[in-house]
Amino acid sequence: MAKILLEMKNITKVFPGVKALDNVNLQVEEGEIHALVGENGAGKSTLMNVLSGIYPYGSYDGQIIYNGNECHFTNIKDSEALGIVIIHQELALIPYMTIGENMFLGNEKGQKWKIDWTETYGKSEEYLRTVGLNESSHTLIKDIGVGKQQLVEIAKALAKNAKLLILDEPTSSLNEKESQELLDLLLKFKKEGLTSIIISHKLNEISYVADKITVIRDGSTIETLDKKVDDFSEARIIKGMVGRDLSDRFPKREKNIGDICFEVKNWNCYHPVYTEKKIIDNVNINVRKGEVLGISGLMGAGRTEFAMSIFGKSYGEKISGTIIKDGKEIVLNSVQEAIKNKIAYVTEDRKGNGLILSNTIKFNTTLANLDGVSKNGVINSDKEYAVAVDFKEKLRTKCPSVEQNVGNLSGGNQQKVLLAKWMYADPDLLILDEPTRGIDVGAKYEIYCIINQLASEGKSVIVISSEMPELLGTCDRIYVMNEGRIVGEVDGETATQELIMSYIIKSDN
């Protein structure tokens, strides 16, 4: 019988007004990959923060037994000393430091007041080879992509002699190829005896990599599925997560598509720093009233850069081309002009650029349309409150009050606040960039319902997504981008993943 490496018994964690964890139990065997799944706000990350000492002993009830010994971690250093290393969804790397410096930050090689740089960079090279990353340890973090940064985080964890590796949404910012490589790396580490706990909303990846799956719902342990004996299908996992069968992951929509309302012609854009590098190359697209239009492409294809460049030139230099709305040419030289012309852009980076996390749901909801809640420059706080409550109810945002800070919400509920912010601006065209990144299947379904509702009201919606099933399930028409160019256009009803990939592959040749 396999050795139990970790037991978490009756873990209960209470925040003011909220019981985040309620007698949660988790058992992880040595050398296995154990997945934690659940809807946003279910308590997965909270449980891992308890385990790693981010929430110290005394701030929760219950026991942590690791390697046969009860542990009382008071900080993250305590857990790391025993080989428990957590990699958070938001990567904690410093852009203007080298890979080697980042890898041993807080874990420096050498003597107390003198770092041994030869050992630092030598060891870094060893760990980079271990994770299959062919980069110099002297390379700055800012000069490598997100996929490679994720591998640096794993190498950094291995440098701390990790015995139990915790990965929170490790593939949320990776493309399909990078995600597959990361999962295969975890399987390789498993063969070498490393134990992993993975939190992910990508259920196909969970089914592929995990030996066991523990489902958490509303702060409680629901069940643990074992690959050897249980059904590991996505439908079965979803049933455990949401408490019911979710027969159709994409809600149906009665289509009522009208005339072309927005066109972009001969659009070009150059990199904001390396101004000779063309990022968007002669792009032409159009979208109709009541249409959900998809933009597909691999990471780095230029989808986000294109969206931001048309949204008030918020990205790029030497931008040229024509924008036509409702048959008339418009010029959008600023975000304010884009909003005035009823165009909205929901960023993929909700925490960095989309929301002010330290402020309330009420404040964030009305931020893009302050004229709607003010008179003569003075905000009517009663109206602001009423608007926020209205959107909370419409979008079914889970929160005790609209006076709660957005930073305290789960990812799915933050995304709803971000949508509310731009819906209140009443746009004719809403551009959604990775609208369901890092959120669970239940919250995704609700966002798809919101997209359908907007389209049924005659709004035009552009969806940029790295998840092809999402585009195929929600869009009426899909443009395919690669290396800054439109390389294909497909009808939503006849589109397949293979067809979309064929356009990308042909354009590479």
Side-chain angles (χ1 to χ4, degrees), residues 174 176 297 299 303 434 437 464-468 470-471:
L174 308 186
E176 287 187 33
M299 191 168 288
R303 298 164 302 167
E434 301 288 359
R437 173 175 287 168
I464 298 169
S465 178
S466 300
E467 296 187 34
M468 284 198 209
E470 180 167 87
L471 293 174

Side-chain angles (χ1 to χ4, degrees), residues 249-350:
R249 291 170 69 175
F250 301 101
K252 301 295 182 213
R253 170 167 52 93
E254 288 292 327
K255 297 181 183 179
N256 184 20
I257 297 173
D259 297 330
I260 291 173
C261 73
F262 186 81
E263 289 181 88
V264 179
K265 293 184 175 180
N266 307 318
W267 199 256
N268 296 281
C269 171
Y270 289 77
H271 194 283
V273 177
Y274 307 106
T275 53
E276 299 308 307
K277 184 179 180 181
K278 195 180 230 186
I279 302 298
I280 305 302
D281 188 1
N282 203 41
V283 165
N284 293 271
I285 72 160
N286 63 70
V287 58
R288 297 173 178 272
K289 290 181 180 178
E291 182 179 34
V292 180
L293 177 76
I295 302 182
S296 177
L298 302 177
M299 191 168 288
R303 298 164 302 167
T304 293
E305 291 82 355
F306 170 62
M308 291 180 68
S309 67
I310 62 176
F311 183 61
K313 298 182 179 175
S314 50
Y315 172 89
E317 291 289 332
K318 296 192 291 188
I319 296 170
S320 64
T322 305
I323 295 176
I324 299 169
K325 184 172 181 286
D326 298 325
K328 295 178 181 177
E329 184 177 342
I330 59 172
V331 178
L332 308 175
N333 285 323
S334 68
V335 170
Q336 288 79 7
E337 287 181 1
I339 294 170
K340 195 178 291 183
N341 280 277
K342 291 193 168 292
I343 297 164
Y345 169 68
V346 178
T347 175
E348 63 177 336
D349 182 12
R350 61 177 172 258

